[in-house]
Amino acid sequence: MSVRGLTKAFGDNEVLRGIDLDVGRGEVVCVIGPSGSGKSTLLRCVNLLEEPSGGTVRVGDAELTDPEVDIDRVRRRIGMVFQQFNLFPHVDVTGNLTLPQRRVLGRGKAESLAVARRNLERVGLSDKANAFPAQLSGGQQQRVAIARALVMDPEVMLFDEPTSALDPELVGDVLAVMRRLASEGMTMMVVTHEMGFAREVADRVVFMDGGVIVEEGPAAQVVGAPRHERTRTFLTRLL
Ligand code: ADP
Ligand code: MG
């Protein structure tokens, strides 16, 4: 995945001021930065939930920002997990995992069920196939939301603070699932405040502030020995 010269303004509020970022196949990039720095907007521009004001986004061989491109087709290549899990409340876990496959990909009943089961196992929730979202903990709901993204066979997974809405004791299970995905070779871009996860799992950490990338590099460098004052200040406040 490759982002070049990405800009985004809401009215006269320039939220992204020229972002260049590559995420290689199988790479895990963690994005950190203060609230309001443009992290969510960056992710939302990458999967075209927001229309960029300028610049290009490329996933595989598809140029997402090409006006000729079929946005729905391209968006399927990108899985997104939000802070709020947004499961369908009125259908069970299996329904949450099969309906999008049937509606969006046109898969048949047997295939969508098989794919759902495989991915439910991947997030450690095989025993919850018939539970309704309200019967699950926040951490379990978020793992279902991850499985729901995975059933679409995405090339890239985007995570926007996936553990921020969870009680502290539930965070670990979700991070464990993400760690497993990373070890399976999934390409991932993760906005997070979990510095432990960033240190252990990220191939690269990107620090954003004021709509620009201030600093990027291996976690040991950006988190362990930041070069920029703004990065240092941000990390100190997290402690
Ligand atoms: P972060 O995720 O780093 O906290 P955001 O990308 O959510 O930052 O927001 C960056 C800035 O963009 C904020 O000033 C926010 O008010 C503004 N913003 C985000 N989304 C919208 C929107 N849909 N309309 C107007 N302003 C927005
Ligand atoms: Mg955000």
Side-chain angles (χ1 to χ4, degrees):
M1 191 187 91
S2 145
V3 173
R4 285 290 171 276
L6 184 68
T7 58
K8 176 67 184 177
F10 296 103
D12 53 13
N13 184 10
E14 286 180 51
V15 173
L16 299 178
R17 298 163 179 261
I19 300 283
D20 295 305
L21 181 63
D22 288 296
V23 183
R25 194 174 285 273
E27 203 179 14
V28 179
V29 171
C30 282
V31 180
I32 63 173
S35 177
S37 57
K39 307 180 297 297
S40 294
T41 303
L42 173 60
L43 287 195
R44 293 169 62 81
C45 283
V46 164
N47 75 350
L48 301 180
L49 286 174
E50 298 284 358
E51 191 185 345
S53 304
T56 57
V57 178
R58 187 173 276 281
V59 174
D61 56 0
E63 164 89 53
L64 274 66
T65 31
D66 179 349
E68 302 287 297
V69 90
D70 177 347
I71 288 181
D72 290 328
R73 249 186 104 79
V74 172
R75 202 181 268 137
R76 277 177 224 159
R77 299 172 168 210
I78 305 172
M80 178 109 183
V81 176
F82 302 89
Q83 187 172 324
Q84 299 302 335
F85 335 118
N86 304 321
L87 298 175
F88 304 124
H90 53 282
V91 290
D92 67 6
V93 166
T94 300
N96 268 278
L97 300 191
T98 52
L99 289 176
Q101 298 181 64
R102 305 197 64 183
R103 281 183 194 157
V104 180
L105 302 179
R107 282 182 187 153
K109 198 169 183 177
E111 187 188 5
S112 59
L113 200 56
V115 173
R117 289 206 175 113
R118 190 160 70 236
N119 283 288
L120 212 48
E121 202 257 299
R122 218 167 160 194
V123 301
L125 289 175
S126 294
D127 56 333
K128 300 294 182 190
N130 302 116
F132 282 80
Q135 298 170 317
L136 302 176
S137 73
Q140 290 168 336
Q141 289 185 56
Q142 189 60 300
R143 284 148 68 197
V144 173
I146 293 171
R148 184 180 55 178
L150 291 172
V151 296
M152 310 301 277
D153 300 326
E155 287 174 32
V156 182
M157 286 281 284
L158 309 178
F159 294 86
D160 194 358
E161 302 196 29
T163 60
S164 293
L166 300 177
D167 292 335
E169 72 271 21
L170 303 177
V171 168
D173 290 343
V174 172
L175 293 181
V177 166
M178 294 168 63
R179 205 173 275 126
R180 174 173 176 182
L181 288 184
S183 71
E184 289 172 3
M186 178 62 76
T187 306
M188 295 164 59
M189 190 165 157
V190 184
V191 174
T192 187
H193 295 296
E194 296 288 338
M195 291 305 131
F197 178 84
R199 275 174 179 272
E200 276 175 52
V201 182
D203 297 297
R204 210 142 36 86
V205 173
V206 170
F207 172 69
M208 274 181 76
D209 196 9
V212 297
I213 292 177
V214 174
E215 174 160 11
E216 69 173 283
Q221 181 197 309
V222 175
V223 182
R227 290 180 187 164
H228 288 261
E229 187 56 42
R230 281 150 89 185
T231 318
R232 277 195 287 270
T233 306
F234 170 74
L235 290 168
T236 309
R237 286 199 188 125
L238 276 191
L239 298 177

